[in-house]
Amino acid sequence: MKKLLPSFSYVFHPIFIPAIATLFYLFYYNADFVDQEKIFIFFQVAIVTIIIPILVFILLRATGNVDTIMISKTSQRKIPLVVHCFLIILLLRKSISIDRYFELHFFFLGALMSTLLALILLFGNIRASLHMMAMSSLTVFVIGLSIHLQMQNIVTITILILLNGIVASSRLEMQAHTNRELVLGFALGAIPQILLLYIWL
């Protein structure tokens, strides 16, 4: 099991979580969106939150500003987080509008709040687990969506909760974070999503 644990850090890397959340959202709203719209929105999110960050990472690595895809050093996290904030703002303003994608809009708004908080903490030399931040935000969003749509998703939610623990164990196994950083990351991801639930539930 210890040999498998590190793979979860790659499979559930933070850059994949917005696309996964979008898939959950479009799947739950199966009757409200035509297939072409689903594909269009998903690819927009994937390009902005996966493809562009990978290209930015390649550029930063080529210039010596980051070393690995996990960006373990505190000093190396500032530029990627700033870029991520701008990309989320781009999505919120141009694609994930509040009138058409109400619930998903608030997920990305919560993600923006979490990212800004993580960025601010970096200036105090405080590092939070971005993996846990992403996983906890996804989990709270899916729970909120299930309540909002009155859908029974016990299995999905249970799997997501277990994945939070597995990803945390993966980060510990890779010696990427301390327990404190994992808890802080979890709180940074979950709390903004919970606060925003009061608006859209």
Side-chain angles (χ1 to χ4, degrees):
M1 184 62 183
K2 284 189 175 182
K3 292 181 179 179
L4 285 175
L5 277 175
S7 64
F8 285 91
S9 288
Y10 293 95
V11 174
F12 295 100
H13 192 280
I15 66 170
F16 298 129
I17 301 303
I20 294 172
T22 303
L23 279 177
F24 272 113
Y25 175 75
L26 295 175
F27 176 76
Y28 286 164
Y29 270 92
N30 191 42
D32 292 355
F33 304 121
V34 297
D35 289 342
Q36 285 182 333
E37 184 178 6
K38 289 181 181 180
I39 293 169
F40 180 71
I41 288 299
F42 174 75
F43 275 104
Q44 274 190 322
V45 171
I47 289 168
V48 173
T49 63
I50 299 175
I51 305 301
I52 294 177
I54 287 174
L55 293 174
V56 170
F57 166 75
I58 292 170
L59 178 62
L60 290 175
R61 186 165 186 178
T63 55
N65 288 297
V66 299
D67 48 12
T68 70
I69 192 69
M70 295 301 172
I71 314 178
S72 56
K73 295 179 181 177
T74 304
S75 60
Q76 296 178 353
R77 292 184 162 209
K78 292 177 183 177
I79 295 176
L81 286 179
V82 168
V83 171
H84 188 62
C85 285
F86 279 110
L87 292 175
I88 293 176
I89 291 170
L90 177 66
L91 276 175
L92 288 171
R93 289 180 62 88
K94 300 296 183 182
S95 300
I96 313 299
S97 61
I98 193 170
D99 55 337
R100 179 60 178 161
Y101 308 104
F102 184 72
E103 298 84 359
L104 190 61
H105 180 89
F106 282 105
F107 167 77
F108 278 103
L109 186 60
L112 177 61
M113 292 168 60
S114 297
T115 306
L116 284 170
L117 288 170
L119 179 61
I120 291 168
L121 288 174
L122 284 179
F123 288 96
N125 205 33
I126 300 172
R127 190 171 64 130
S129 170
L130 301 181
H131 279 76
M132 291 309 300
M133 188 174 81
M135 287 301 300
S136 64
S137 65
L138 173 65
T139 304
V140 173
F141 175 65
V142 172
I143 292 171
L145 202 57
S146 300
I147 296 170
H148 181 60
L149 299 177
Q150 297 182 343
M151 298 178 70
Q152 297 294 327
N153 291 302
I154 302 300
V155 174
T156 302
I157 292 168
T158 301
I159 290 171
L160 283 171
I161 291 170
L162 287 173
L163 282 172
N164 275 267
I166 293 171
V167 170
S169 299
S170 173
R171 304 308 288 152
L172 288 173
E173 179 64 25
M174 295 178 73
Q175 298 181 342
H177 288 290
T178 63
N179 287 326
R180 176 176 172 271
E181 291 168 347
L182 292 172
V183 171
L184 181 58
F186 183 91
L188 286 180
I191 292 172
Q193 296 292 336
I194 291 171
L195 292 175
L196 289 173
L197 285 181
Y198 288 98
I199 298 175
W200 65 265
L201 267 187

